[in-house]
Amino acid sequence: MKFFEKLENVKKCPVSYVLAVQDTLNAFHGKWKMPIIGTLLFGKKRFKEIEREVRKITPRMLSQELKDLEVNGIVTRTVYNTTPVTVEYELTPSGRELHHVMESMITWGLQHRQTNIMETLPALNMPKQSA
Amino acid sequence: MKFFEKLENVKKCPVSYVLAVQDTLNAFHGKWKMPIIGTLLFGKKRFKEIEREVRKITPRMLSQELKDLEVNGIVTRTVYNTTPVTVEYELTPSGRELHHVMESMITWGLQHRQTNIMETLPALNMPKQSA
DNA sequence: TATACTGCTATACTTAAGTATATTGATATA
DNA sequence: TATATCAATATACTTAAGTATAGCAGTATA
């Protein structure tokens, strides 16, 4: 992915890249997909487990978002014929790959906080000059 | 960033990582921030230039989003005393660093499309077995 | 004088996203 | 019988996000 090394050449930005970014943003779209994917990165879970782990989510939103993630090939849904019924949600291989995106987000977020703290409160981060 | 190598250890997920991801999502939040940042990655631009390059955006949204990006330390705003007035918007160093996140999104998006095409239409991607 | 440019802001509106609360059916437990 | 579990769905509602349209001040050109 060397594209952004030659940013000045606008014409080299292919439509497929724009679509790719849109797909990725879509995967995280809204308030709840990131925490749902986040919790599923630790392993497959049942509906109620996710509901408990993703604080404050309503079953309506969880149901809706899981459906969305399923049709987008990020999550699989498996029903087991138990009583009461067991439904397991698991990230697809592609879904698991999202951790790379998350990592780049963590890296940028941490970096950005550092920078902004330094800009806002430089004194706190500068070594004190002795008199 | 070796954290996700030990995903099973939930306790090791620090709050700072969650905040970092939220900050990053916030940087891209909404319909317009990504295209605005995208166009500014190619160099600093004036208000009307951005308005022309980011198709269908209204001045209201552009103004609002630029303000948002400015207070979040992603864009700088410089006013030149010309007639008519010139206002230049430029990514901060931190803003420019977002291209790493974009690249990871491009990578995932392209990969994900590939995977989904292969799952939906496997025949198209399988070498034909000769009779 | 009329028009155009710049970088916006104001007002009113529509659409999308999210919340609150109740309910379902099949089964198990107290 | 009453209550609880699971995995949801239904309905009504609120809030957030985005759109449409018009207008401003200052200057410059036709």
Side-chain angles (χ1 to χ4, degrees):
Chain A
M1 197 65 50
K2 300 288 177 191
F3 168 66
F4 283 103
E5 284 173 24
K6 293 204 173 185
L7 280 177
E8 58 286 348
N9 195 342
V10 181
K11 308 233 164 177
K12 278 192 178 166
C13 180
V15 178
S16 63
Y17 283 19
V18 177
L19 293 174
V21 172
Q22 279 171 359
D23 284 0
T24 313
L25 284 177
N26 191 46
F28 290 132
H29 183 256
K31 189 175 175 181
W32 297 112
K33 291 206 188 68
M34 179 66 86
I36 292 168
I37 293 165
T39 200
L40 289 177
L41 277 170
F42 294 104
K44 59 183 169 189
K45 301 235 161 80
R46 299 170 61 182
F47 190 90
K48 281 283 167 188
E49 286 182 275
I50 306 172
E51 198 184 340
R52 274 188 293 269
E53 287 179 26
V54 177
R55 299 323 222 42
K56 308 254 181 186
I57 198 170
T58 60
R60 186 191 201 273
M61 289 312 292
L62 182 53
S63 175
Q64 200 177 103
E65 299 294 55
L66 285 170
K67 228 171 257 170
D68 215 63
L69 292 169
E70 200 193 347
V71 302
N72 285 310
I74 292 162
V75 153
T76 55
R77 181 177 182 275
T78 318
V79 185
Y80 297 95
N81 195 10
T82 55
T83 50
V85 67
T86 305
V87 182
E88 268 184 358
Y89 292 93
E90 188 173 12
L91 291 175
T92 61
S94 189
R96 264 175 263 128
E97 287 301 304
L98 281 169
H99 84 267
H100 289 122
V101 182
M102 284 215 199
E103 275 167 30
S104 75
M105 286 182 172
I106 292 169
T107 304
W108 185 86
L110 293 175
Q111 233 178 249
H112 183 65
R113 285 220 159 188
Q114 270 293 316
T115 310
N116 278 21
I117 286 162
M118 301 233 277
E119 276 167 13
T120 319
L121 303 163
L124 290 174
N125 297 280
M126 301 287 266
K128 278 195 180 172
Q129 303 295 320
S130 56
Chain B
M1 197 68 47
K2 300 286 178 192
F3 168 66
F4 284 103
E5 285 172 24
K6 293 202 173 186
L7 278 178
E8 58 284 348
N9 193 342
V10 181
K11 307 231 167 183
K12 278 193 182 168
C13 181
V15 178
S16 63
Y17 283 18
V18 177
L19 293 174
V21 172
Q22 280 172 358
D23 284 359
T24 313
L25 285 176
N26 192 48
F28 289 131
H29 184 255
K31 189 176 175 181
W32 298 112
K33 290 205 188 69
M34 179 65 87
I36 293 168
I37 293 165
T39 199
L40 289 178
L41 277 171
F42 293 104
K44 57 185 171 189
K45 301 235 161 79
R46 298 171 59 182
F47 190 90
K48 281 283 167 186
E49 286 183 274
I50 306 172
E51 197 183 340
R52 273 188 295 268
E53 288 179 26
V54 177
R55 299 325 224 37
K56 308 254 182 189
I57 197 169
T58 60
R60 185 192 201 275
M61 289 312 292
L62 182 53
S63 175
Q64 197 177 106
E65 299 293 56
L66 285 170
K67 227 170 257 172
D68 215 64
L69 292 169
E70 201 193 346
V71 303
N72 285 310
I74 292 161
V75 154
T76 55
R77 182 178 181 273
T78 318
V79 185
Y80 296 96
N81 194 11
T82 56
T83 51
V85 67
T86 306
V87 180
E88 268 183 358
Y89 293 92
E90 188 173 11
L91 291 175
T92 61
S94 188
R96 264 176 264 129
E97 287 301 305
L98 280 170
H99 83 265
H100 288 122
V101 181
M102 283 214 200
E103 276 166 29
S104 75
M105 286 182 171
I106 292 168
T107 305
W108 185 85
L110 293 174
Q111 230 178 250
H112 183 66
R113 283 221 161 186
Q114 269 293 317
T115 310
N116 278 20
I117 288 161
M118 300 235 277
E119 276 167 11
T120 319
L121 304 162
L124 289 174
N125 297 280
M126 301 288 264
K128 279 194 178 172
Q129 304 296 320
S130 55

